[in-house]
Structure formats: C-alpha cells, structure tokens
Amino acid sequence: MARNRQRRGAAPEAVAEAVDGGRAELVPDRERARAWTLLIDGAPQSHVDLDDPAYLDFAYQRRLGHVIDLAAPPGRPLHAVHLGGGAFTLARYVAATRPRSTQQVVEIDTPLVQFVRRVLPLDPGARIRVRGGDARAGLGKLPDGWADLVLADVFSGARTPAHLTSTEFLTDVRRVLKPGGTYAANLADGPPLAHLRAQIATAAAVFPELALAADPVVLRGRRFGNAVLVASDVPLPVAELTRRVASDPHPGRVEHGRALADFTGGAAAVTDADAAPSPAPPPSAFD
C-alpha cells in the first residue's frame, strides 16, 4: 500500500497505486505547498490544492468552475451531481465557494476513490457523498428534479464510454435537473472533431439552450483537446461566461446560437443504438 511519507521540512514525494483504470499517481506541485496533480497511466486528470480548493489549475476545470459560479447567485448552496470523481477537484470547489451545498459524486473506480481519499482527504464537514458504480446507473438512482447542476467528466482509458454520449443518457440528465438547472460536460476530441460535433447535436436534441467553451486551436481542429459543453432549459449567461473564459490564463472562446449550430455542421444526434466511445487521444496530447 502506498504511503505519503514526508520528512519534516522536505518536499512531499509522489505516491502511486494500481487502480482499476491503470496506474494512479499523485504528483506534488512544486510551486504550491499542498497541491497535487492526479495522473492515470501518465495522463494528467486533475489538480487539487488542499490549502485553496477554489484554485483551479487545468483550463477545462477553470471553465467548469465558471459554469459553477454562474449556475446560481454567488454563495448560494447547490444540489450538485458529479459523474466521474477523479481527485474530487470540482466537488471541493463547490464546497469551498458554495458552503452548505449537497453533492453526490459517482465514480466507478473504487480503488481510485480509496487512494485519493487516503492521500488527499475530503473535508469531513463538506456535504459530499461518494457513490461507487457506473455514472449512468448512479444518475438513474437520483430523484426527478433533484439537482441544480450536473457535471460529467467521465473517462475510461482516456475515452468517454459510449453509453454516456447518447440522447437517452442526456434525457435522464434533464430528468434529474431542476427546472432552470445546468448540465456541463468535459468532452475531448481532435481533428476532424466528429465526436464533438455529434455531442453538440445530441445535447441540442434534449436541451434548448447550449454553449461550448474551448481553446480556439481545438475549435479550429488543429489539435486534440478539451471542450466544455453547457446546456440548460433556460437561457445561459453566455456574455458573462464568454468574458470569464476569455480572461483565463489560457484564454478560450465560447460559441453559442447560430455560430454553434454552424460549427455542428449538420451532425446527427447519437442514440444508444449507435453510440461509440470518444476517440483516444494521440500520444502527443500529453507531451
């Protein structure tokens, strides 16, 4: 069993352990005293700062943080669902920025959950419940209209499982959301962006309001990367989201309305019958 041994005054050392998804490693951030990056088989997954859980280092997590900030007036507690646990970065963020929020995390990799909770413990005062199991099955156990926010960040072997890409899946997401609630998903794709375009079309078949935030280079199909898709049954705060994403350390772009429809390019919505996992990233994606 891995142990996080540290001599007094010494820098913390990386710790690793075998989990269901491969080799999990927590690597200390040399610039922040109690911050760590989670890697699975060498691929960066998330970053956590135990001293400042409101600090989000990864660009896609900062964009999801903006969605959380804009989901309700500042400080108002939320009912939040996290499909995919990782290092619980965004659950920690919600707990720090919206105290008294009630959160459900669904993560299929039980050894990963145990590893992260041992090395990077959750605040025992935070209302964060972690359930083991498949994300879609866990979603199906939640009551109608329970959540203000559903966040999906699920990868298996660096690919989103097929059953989390369909209209049937998103229909269940909408069932769990309260009227006016927000859904946001971390999607990964590269040229020619067929998966990303299909996911936008799939969300458009279920939700009337959409926006997409990503690095302009990714949107132009020049490299593999992450995009955050946001959906709701009410108009989204697109102007403020656009301002925040553009002012990030790694500025991004937000597409919505006609521009997003044009970007989708007539792609067809995905159903359970024809769903496929997201494409695997090329080795250069983690260079």
Side-chain angles (χ1 to χ4, degrees), residues 35-204:
W36 301 77
T37 298
L38 171 67
L39 300 94
I40 304 291
D41 286 341
Q45 302 292 315
S46 55
H47 180 278
V48 171
D49 189 332
L50 296 179
D51 287 334
D52 183 10
Y55 173 78
L56 299 176
D57 186 69
F58 287 9
Y60 88 86
Q61 290 185 327
R62 288 184 64 88
R63 289 164 191 155
L64 287 169
H66 298 323
V67 173
I68 294 166
D69 292 344
L70 297 173
R76 197 188 86 184
L78 297 176
H79 282 189
V81 178
H82 303 263
L83 303 179
F88 312 126
T89 302
L90 293 170
R92 299 174 201 263
Y93 181 85
V94 171
T97 60
R98 297 182 177 277
R100 301 182 308 283
S101 291
T102 300
Q103 302 187 72
Q104 298 272 359
V105 179
V106 185
E107 170 59 57
I108 198 170
D109 194 331
T110 299
L112 175 63
V113 169
Q114 294 170 342
F115 174 56
V116 170
R117 295 189 77 157
R118 187 177 69 251
V119 182
L120 308 179
L122 288 167
D123 179 354
R127 300 176 181 178
I128 301 173
R129 180 180 180 183
V130 182
R131 290 181 172 181
D134 174 76
R136 186 161 165 180
L139 183 72
K141 295 176 182 177
L142 292 172
D144 295 1
W146 184 85
D148 299 288
L149 182 67
V150 175
L151 301 177
D153 186 12
V154 184
F155 289 87
S156 175
R159 304 177 74 180
T160 301
H163 68 297
L164 303 181
T165 67
S166 67
T167 54
E168 290 90 341
F169 164 66
L170 288 183
T171 297
D172 208 29
V173 168
R174 186 164 180 179
R175 176 191 65 79
V176 169
L177 283 171
K178 297 176 182 179
T182 304
Y183 170 69
N186 175 33
L187 307 174
D189 199 8
L193 299 179
H195 173 73
L196 181 58
R197 298 181 206 277
Q199 286 303 286
I200 298 167
T202 303

Side-chain angles (χ1 to χ4, degrees), residues 193-220:
L193 299 179
H195 173 73
L196 181 58
R197 298 181 206 277
Q199 286 303 286
I200 298 167
T202 303
V206 178
F207 291 96
E209 302 290 338
L210 302 177
L212 184 75
D215 188 315
V217 176
V218 173
L219 292 176
R220 289 196 292 267

Side-chain angles (χ1 to χ4, degrees), residues 66-67 69-70 236-247 254 256:
H66 298 323
V67 173
D69 292 344
L70 297 173
L236 294 163
V238 172
E240 181 60 17
L241 180 63
T242 299
R243 186 191 69 78
R244 294 185 183 212
V245 169
S247 64
V254 174
H256 66 100

